[in-house]
Amino acid sequence: DIPDSILKQLTLIVVEYYSFDDRLHKGQLIVNKKVVKDIEEIFSLIKESKFPVAKVIPAIKYNWNDEASMDDNNTVAFNYRKVKGSKVPSAHSNGLAIDINPLQNPHIKGKVIQPSSGKYDVNMRGTIIRDSKLVKEFVKRNWQWGGRWKSSKDYQHFEKKN
């Protein structure tokens, strides 16, 4: 169960984005109230630049299963879960993280790629690249990008430190 103390911090927002079909779509994100402005501004940029986003559906549709959501190339923010292989709550657990296009931007640690069908290719549409405007806009708002991590590369992942 999700504690009330966390539920009180969350809100549902609607975002617009172009998907890989080059058509405008609406999606829903559950985020921490502290980052609503950041995420709305980022998605405004995503929409303006027509950076393709596969889909944006709250994790509850996947019964909170992160693998199922990633396998579906779903962009998601809130998901009450632990960091993989640990007892530490993920930044997604309080709505202060977002994963964008997991298939184009997988988490790579050694030989392990998540989602397993993911492939990081900087020439593929929807891939997040180090010096891209998208990364710069998140960083400007004090978010960290998992593509800059040392021990692994989590290209889909952005998180805001409290």
Side-chain angles (χ1 to χ4, degrees):
D1 279 2
I2 304 164
D4 281 345
S5 60
I6 288 183
L7 289 174
K8 287 177 187 159
Q9 297 175 43
L10 303 172
T11 190
L12 179 76
I13 62 171
V14 175
V15 295
E16 290 187 327
Y17 59 93
Y18 285 89
S19 191
F20 290 91
D21 61 5
D22 296 317
R23 294 172 63 185
L24 190 61
H25 295 260
K26 276 189 177 163
Q28 296 179 318
L29 288 167
I30 300 169
V31 299
N32 192 295
K33 291 172 186 170
K34 293 180 200 168
V35 299
V36 168
K37 185 172 182 273
D38 288 356
I39 296 296
E40 287 177 343
E41 289 171 356
I42 296 285
F43 265 85
S44 179
L45 170 87
I46 285 172
K47 180 182 166 185
E48 277 172 36
S49 65
K50 294 193 175 179
F51 178 86
V53 174
K55 59 188 64 144
V56 183
I57 302 168
I60 191 169
K61 180 187 186 276
Y62 303 91
N63 294 314
W64 307 109
N65 182 313
D66 191 42
E67 280 76 24
S69 178
M70 284 194 300
D71 287 342
D72 199 28
N73 206 19
N74 184 43
T75 292
V76 70
F78 172 74
N79 190 351
Y80 191 71
R81 63 179 178 80
K82 308 266 188 283
V83 171
K84 300 240 183 319
S86 85
K87 293 187 163 101
V88 179
S90 162
H92 291 280
S93 293
N94 55 16
L96 294 172
I98 186 169
D99 289 343
I100 300 172
N101 291 343
L103 292 180
Q104 288 79 19
N105 303 291
H107 180 217
I108 302 170
K109 186 167 187 166
K111 290 186 165 54
V112 179
I113 298 175
Q114 289 180 310
S116 57
S117 54
K119 184 176 191 295
Y120 189 70
D121 176 353
V122 296
N123 298 311
M124 209 166 20
R125 288 177 70 212
T127 301
I128 300 167
I129 303 162
R130 176 178 290 274
D131 294 320
S132 66
K133 189 159 174 54
L134 183 59
V135 171
K136 288 177 180 160
E137 289 296 320
F138 269 109
V139 169
K140 191 164 86 178
R141 292 166 176 80
N142 295 316
W143 289 68
Q144 292 179 353
W145 179 46
R148 291 188 173 154
W149 292 352
K150 302 267 187 284
S151 62
S152 70
K153 299 294 182 209
D154 197 352
Y155 295 108
Q156 63 192 277
H157 184 85
F158 293 92
E159 70 181 78
K160 181 127 182 184
K161 295 295 186 188
N162 285 343

